[in-house]
Amino acid sequence: MVFGGIVSSPRAYLTAQQALELANVYLDNAINAKDADISMVLCHDTEVSLSLAKKSFKHAENQILVDGIATAYMDLGKLLERHGHDTEAQASYKKAEKLGGNVADSAQSPKPSRSGGIIRSIKDTFHSAGGSYAYASEHRSSLTQHKQHHDAVKIPPYIFTKNVSPPVADFKLPESDERLNSTPQLVYCLSLLQDSQSADGILDPTVRAWLQSVMKDADEQERLHTMATDVIRAFKRDEIKDSKVVVEVVCLAPVLKKDAFHGLLREFYSGIDHSGLLNYHQVEGLAQLIQGADHGHLGADDLVKILELLSTRLRDTHQQSTQQIYQLTVAVSHVLDAMADTKVAGLDREKLHEPLSIYLKELQESKDPHLVYQSAYAYQALLCVPDNETAWQAAMRRTGKLVQGVSGLVSAAKSLDLIKFIEGLENIQKGIAGTSKIVEIVATAYKDVTSLAQNGQGFLESLKEGFSFERKRDWYSALRGADTLIRNGELVSFRKLVCEAPCRLDPAFQWGVCQRLGEIAADPVWDAGTRRSAIAFLGEIYKDDVVWGQQPSVKQWVLNILIQMASGSENRSQLNATVAETLLQELEASSDEKQALYRMCRENGPIQYPLKIATIELATPSLLDRVQNRPDVEVNLRLLRKQRTKERGNAMYIPPQAKASMQAADIDQFPLMEKVKEFLDSDQKVFLLLGDSGAGKSTFSRELEYDLWQAYKNKTDRIPLHINLPTIDKPEHDMIAKQLRRAEFTEPQIREMKHYRKFILICDGYDESQQTHNLYMGNRLNQQGEWNAQMVISCRTEYLGNDYRDRFQPGSRNHQSDSSQFQEAVVSPFSLDMVHDYIQQYVSIHQPLWQTNDYKQALELIPNLQDLMSNPFLMTLSLEVLPRMMDPGHLLTARISRVALYDHFIEQWLERGKKRLAEKDLAPQMRVVFERLSAEGFTLNGIGYMKKLAVAIYREQGGHPVVEYSQMNDEGSWKDDFFRYKDKQLLLEASPMTRNGNQHRFIHRSLLEYGLARAVFDPQDKSKLSARELVSDRRRSVSSTLSFESQHESEEATNTHGQEPDPNSPLVWKNLVNDHSLLQFLEDRVQQEPNFKRQLLGYIEHSKKDKRWRKAAANAITILVRAGIQFINTDLQGIQIPGADLSHGVFDSVRLQEADLRKVNFRGVWLRQTDLSRSQMAGVHFGELPMLTEDNGVRSCAYSPDGKSLTVGLFNGDIGVYATSSWEKIRTLKGHTGWVRRIVYSPTGNQIVSCSEDRTVRLWDVGSGTCVRILSHKYLVSGVAYSPQGDKVASASGRAVCLWDPVTGNCTRSLFGHDGWVTCVAYSPKGDQIASGSRDFTVRLWNAETGDCSRILYGHSEGVDEIAFSPQGHQLASASTDMTVRLWDLDTGVCRHVLAGHTSAIYSVDYSPGGGHVTSGGADGTARLWDAETGICLQTLTGHGNTVLIVKYSPKGDQVASGGWDKTVRLWDVSGGSLRVQSRGHSQRVCSVKCSPKGDQIASGGYDTTIRLWDAQSAACLKVLKGHTETVTGIAYSPQGNRIATCGGDNTVRLWNVESGECLHILTGHLGFVQDVAFSPQGHRVASVSNDKSVRFWDVASGDCCMVLNGHEAVIIGVVYSPDGKQIATGSSDCTIRLWNVDNGICHRTIKGHEADVNVVAYSPQGNELASASDDMTVRLWDAESGECRFILIGHRDFVRYVVYSPKGDLLASGSQDKTMRLWDTHLGQCRAVIRNFQDTVRTIDWNLALDGMYLVTGCFDGSVLKWQVIEEESQCSVQLQWGATNGTLTMAGAFMQDVRGLTRPNKHLLKQRGAVGEPEDLFREASKRVMTMASVVSKLKQVPNEAVQELS
């Protein structure tokens, strides 16, 4: 039967091209047929079609066709030969040869791909509901040429690019006697039972096992069938029979036994027949019942009887509304479709056909176009019912039942043969009234659309002409075919049908197509890509008039559909609404003639007819619920929804923006709500919402809950459940049930929801609940028998450390986390526009004292107010307290901090509370108490109450913010002091507290922290203020008393500091070091309260003599360092600060002898010239390990699998092996004679494989260090990899990847394909794939078994140097010399992230063992750590002096090793704490610093491409100027100080406004790196010099180039104006200095003398002298007039990079690559001072003259900007550091560590490498001092502290 339809179709009218197409279809299916007999039948059909092709071809000449026929004959001959039919095969070959074919060539050439074939298509359809007939899309000619008289239609290729599985529900199969969740689940079970014989071979093993079990259990089978019958009974008992119960019962139709089916059919028939008003839900249900009927259940008599009933009832419907008639007509159409499907014929025209025809024709006169279309559709269906043979039935047979998307797995409809179907449509055309033509389109001009719509003409006329009621039309059959294709998911075929159907331009067909596209787009059961394709298809129909015609009615229908989508009325996906709105905006922006139509539709809004979607929504309770007596939860849910909506009230809400991480750029922000709803539409499980305190996380969570409740409709929807985590006891277990009990749900209801409902959990306050558990895993979400839920969970950013995702991702620490189920976002600060919107809302609602403009003015004038108000909670506080804090007229002098806002907010809140209580009718006793409190100071009492309560909450319950108080249960407890007594009750009522039942908490977590911070220091607490406040001489540097600065102490200060600190302060009993939000309050307090700073110093001072104060001292110094206080030349001898966080602090020349520094965090700290002798440093953390030093450059390295060794490959061919326990070299492997480019351990760790430029790969035995095998290559070997199984080695050499057997040394396969040198190779974790990178800019993926190239990854713009697979194998990282790392999704080949940040080529990349991070290293001398999920750079690791060639993670992921040209391997500790850098300075080398003319500001620039402006006094970073794309090499201030000129490696000069930070001009013209820039003394011109050997002068006002000077023979490095502005001096790599006249550009003198590059030139302030610095290691002083050399200053031991005169001209400062700065006497030519212990090259210097002295500023290659005071005492000259802005690099130069105790061996080594001197005490030597005899050794060792024992071990 199947093949009969294929073979018997007429061929006579086919063209040669079409006959060839048909032959290829037959041939493809013959090749794929498993049955030989069927294959031979298809071979015969191929021969017939080819003969027809030859015959038809005689009338035309086309060589392509000739070749195609010849090739087909060749392939046919081979198939016949394979089947053993040699004679027929030879005949076929001869026919091919006659046409020019060549048998030999054919055997070697690749075969054109063919279709999947008819047989395979049928088989695939049965095996998968999404199977489709893959028509010959890749045949030799395209089916778009199917009929020559049809126009070829092309739509964008991204629309419906693939067939998809049709929406099929997936249900859990119940255990025996287990309760069922829904009626569709019951249908699924019964359908499996019903088709158990035919479906067994294709079922999933789990389903098959269930089916086999139930087939053996007769009782279970009976239970399921009885339940179906009971559902029908429940339906009969239902009095309303609304749409939901109808849909539910109808879905049973395909699985009912015949008696049960007829019983249900009678119920529907009776309901329609006896109801007073026609229930069109029942009509629709009847139609679906008929469509779903099993074979044999319905007879012709049944259908005739139904049609008689409908014909009778339709006479009574004319008085109904248009919408009701429309719905009824839709239902009738479905009934008629069903009758046409079952081929009912011979109807009584007088009784049935004619009345219905008349009714439908009457609807033609309706003014509603939708009703006109639907009636025309019904009429066409009616015309098909009586016919013995309908045209569409010839192409589409009803071959099986459908189960409404439930059991599509078992009984999907057979696919269409699309070719035959389109041919059938053409036959319909030919058969209608002889030869009918396509409907002529009414070419109504779009400009007349509005008038046509107003008078009712035009649209309907064009519609009615297309929707003919007089004859059968092919568009009806085409739409029925389209329905089948859509139902089966054959979207590619659907697209083809729409584009090639003969009725393509018929308005009725287009109307129906648009409706179906709209329904696909609106139906959430389709995947997002399919829905977006549907929207795009609609857009094409609207936009492309050439292809789709100019039918206004169709265009209007498209617009109405899109407007519905954009309005969200038909969308459960915000994403699709956004797509539709974006398309509408695109259409609005078009300039065609449809704009009048567009405006009319937009003004009218969404139409009243909703698009039909297939989602089954069940009643509450459902019929099955009633059968199973399940408890109803909907009533309680409605109450919960009402309560939560009421609690929200009319809260102000500004939709927040978010970023993928804290480090993400602002341009990468996205709307948070859209992102979360996109997550909710996906299969992901956990969304982590991060943000700072007050960022709006809780507000957003409540708004999200509100939105979800508004969208909640019925029990098929997910239940939004907001959980305030701190209010739940132990939320890591049974969290949902605990929350539901709080909402007064019963246990049966909770069980019901657990097993049958889905939730969206909105968990707020993970940090406040002090959680460390994974709540997703702890609550076993989405596991069998557990809660079904997605989770949105919020947490403060600062609460989490490194690798925090383990706390949230599905998975566990023992099993690999599934990052694909996890997503995160960080709430961004409010933008200025968002702040303005909020202000406007606030002023409108609250009507404060200030107006909107007052607030906006404050934002503009008050420094840092905008930053504060970017935090939503702080903004709320600001808006409330600003009118109280200041007058609008004094904004310019105002200074506001975060803690100041809280101070005023609390005072204002308490004053309002006092006023409220005063007006309240208090009881007499309470009134007396209130008056007493008021007399004492109500606000002060209130603040005192808050402080004490905050202290109690931290002390008694560890900071858990919710206090539960019951007078009965808590009598006598600490809680009584705050909640029982009358005075406390009044203060509680007036405080910013909230109460929920017996739970009390502050209205915001930050208020609790503020309360504790105020308990630490209260500016209003007079009892703690000293008699005298000690004010620091200079901001941000310590100028304390006593031992801190003993030479300046006074007797009064000594007495003050002699007072003992407060022993009850939280500083004493609570560790604050890691409480970042609390610390922020205290940091602010330090900066505004000198007395608090003094108190903190007092704690540190007292810790010297009494260990009781060491916790307070650790807290105190942590606060001071975080506040930016720098300790310079300070006496901290003997302080006890164990556990303090000094990270990124500055401690220069500090005395720390005998200090207790155990477990102190010294990450990135500056300890230059600090005395650490005899201090205790056990457990300290520096953030890195000692570097390994080699004699040659390091090209490669690798950790052993067990992490016990690190192997390093060198430039000279040696391989060094280090023990990671001691970092001692244990072996050197020699054999290679060239660079060792890669090293890899075998999976077992017993072998090492290395590759080298000596063209070999060597295999080494780890135990003996011997080379066991050498694998020789023709070219150098640049990459090598071991397979995970250890049985293969892959090498990259030349343009090939070679695979080797490591045992035999044989090359088993070579993989060719790259067009350039192959640089790297890697095996996937499973070993099934090999990846290779090449100089051809690509990465190729190869099948490891077959060697086939499976994918090519394009994207890099230069060569790929290294690749790495993620540990899970789903991602690949590639590093390129194009300065990027790309992260590729290996499933799709899509680049997920481009990691940009390196400023030069990248040579290495590696994944962390967990896959969450990526590290890279490159020619910019840095290694970087990246977040693999977000693509954000987390940290830049600086320290290498040159190119980094290799980076590798340790097996545990706690270390990163990096090596390179500088002959070192650096070992970075990445295990402790957050990776977020807290540095305020440049992240890379500093190349230029300049002081402003007034001396109040410093500008710096460097390799990180930024310019930073610093406050010269406080070191505060005022601005960061961004614009340059390469290194900033030069900076110059204008004489007025209001402009800055900068230049850089991007070949530009830029002019900036200092005040605003705005870039005023970008000056282009140089053809190379711009090295230096200088302002003229008048400020009107700028001079710049470049690698292009030219000097350019620029006009500052216009930005024009005024003059270009040439003359130097090499790169010009430096330029300077003479003080009088008449000439400039330039220094060059040609070893000369040239002096130029600025008026005429003439070089009037060339000064020679230097023997190497002249790096800089400088004029003396008097202009009579020049200084120059050179790579010849000298500084020279020249007479500016004569050019004679006055002095040659010798002393530097390396290149001198900079020189500059002091303001008086008597001193000269020079900086050198020897890491020193020297001060020279310009009169004597002698060195007066040498400043040593810089970390790197002193690249740039400038003088800063201030009222209190003379200063120098240096910029170094270590990224630091340092300010030094120059001290001249008689003949002596020295400098002292004043402040430093560092980049977080550990600095130990000159630090003294003699007899330091507790340092581990690696830390000792590290400190020595960083320049520390002295010999720390050895742990064993320390212990031995106390051991006097051998007998006491054992007892003494037993007394060694645990930490010391750990160090010993």
Side-chain angles (χ1 to χ4, degrees), residues 86 666 799 980 1596:
D86 295 335
D666 289 341
Y799 182 74
R980 182 172 185 176
V1596 171

Side-chain angles (χ1 to χ4, degrees), residues 1294-1296 1312-1318 1334-1338 1340 1342 1352 1354:
R1295 297 191 177 190
F1312 292 97
H1314 281 292
D1315 296 327
W1317 205 271
V1318 183
S1334 167
R1335 294 291 185 215
D1336 65 7
F1337 309 171
T1338 70
R1340 287 180 178 251
W1342 312 83
I1352 303 176
Y1354 296 97

Side-chain angles (χ1 to χ4, degrees), residues 536-784:
F537 206 157
L538 286 167
E540 287 301 311
I541 292 173
Y542 180 90
K543 290 185 290 186
D544 197 339
D545 293 347
V546 175
V547 172
W548 302 102
Q550 295 181 331
Q551 184 59 259
S553 61
V554 175
K555 308 297 183 180
Q556 183 183 17
W557 182 214
V558 171
L559 288 174
N560 282 330
I561 292 171
L562 293 175
I563 291 169
Q564 282 190 77
M565 297 292 299
S567 69
S569 60
E570 297 300 333
N571 251 315
R572 295 188 181 185
S573 169
Q574 182 65 33
L575 181 63
N576 279 353
T578 303
V579 172
E581 181 59 37
T582 301
L583 178 55
L584 284 170
Q585 292 174 4
E586 179 186 337
L587 300 181
E588 182 180 18
S590 63
S591 58
D592 56 21
E593 297 180 340
K594 298 190 284 289
Q595 290 306 303
L597 175 65
Y598 179 91
R599 289 191 295 271
M600 180 188 71
C601 292
R602 279 298 245 181
E603 290 169 2
N604 292 341
I607 60 172
Q608 60 181 335
Y609 299 105
L611 297 169
K612 178 187 173 185
I613 57 176
T615 306
I616 297 178
E617 295 188 0
L618 304 181
T620 305
S622 69
L623 298 174
L624 188 63
D625 291 345
R626 302 170 202 177
V627 170
Q628 298 184 110
N629 297 318
R630 284 158 59 172
D632 180 27
V633 298
E634 288 301 313
V635 173
N636 295 68
L637 288 174
R638 284 194 292 271
L639 291 174
L640 178 60
R641 172 185 177 181
K642 184 176 180 180
Q643 174 193 342
R644 295 298 296 168
T645 302
K646 181 179 179 181
E647 289 176 1
R648 175 187 179 273
N650 295 319
M652 291 173 57
Y653 176 72
I654 300 293
Q657 297 288 106
K659 302 188 290 188
S661 76
M662 290 297 292
Q663 290 77 18
D666 289 341
I667 59 173
D668 296 328
Q669 292 183 3
F670 45 79
L672 179 58
M673 187 66 77
E674 287 185 19
K675 179 66 71 173
V676 171
K677 291 191 175 178
E678 182 181 326
F679 157 78
L680 295 176
D681 285 341
S682 73
D683 294 328
Q684 292 180 310
K685 302 303 180 187
V686 178
F687 189 102
L688 173 61
L689 179 59
L690 297 172
D692 294 335
S693 174
K697 302 181 297 296
S698 297
T699 302
F700 173 80
S701 295
R702 289 191 292 269
E703 192 67 19
L704 174 63
E705 179 200 21
Y706 174 78
D707 276 8
L708 294 173
W709 272 126
Q710 295 304 110
Y712 181 84
K713 296 294 186 292
N714 54 48
K715 67 186 299 178
T716 62
D717 291 332
R718 294 169 293 177
I719 301 169
L721 188 65
H722 186 278
I723 302 177
N724 192 340
L725 290 173
T727 65
I728 303 295
D729 182 39
K730 297 181 179 178
E732 63 270 20
H733 299 298
D734 210 20
M735 169 178 65
I736 302 175
K738 291 174 181 176
Q739 179 67 21
L740 291 173
R741 291 186 191 107
R742 289 172 56 84
E744 299 183 352
F745 283 82
T746 65
E747 293 303 318
Q749 288 175 321
I750 293 173
R751 286 193 298 271
E752 165 70 17
M753 289 187 284
K754 182 175 184 178
H755 293 295
Y756 302 109
R757 301 303 297 273
K758 296 180 180 180
F759 283 82
I760 296 173
L761 303 181
I762 306 166
C763 302
D764 190 28
Y766 181 87
D767 53 297
E768 291 187 55
S769 64
Q770 300 181 327
Q771 278 295 313
T772 57
H773 298 88
N774 186 318
L775 298 185
Y776 182 92
M777 297 304 300
N779 284 275
R780 299 174 56 82
L781 299 182
N782 299 308
Q783 297 186 28
Q784 188 171 1

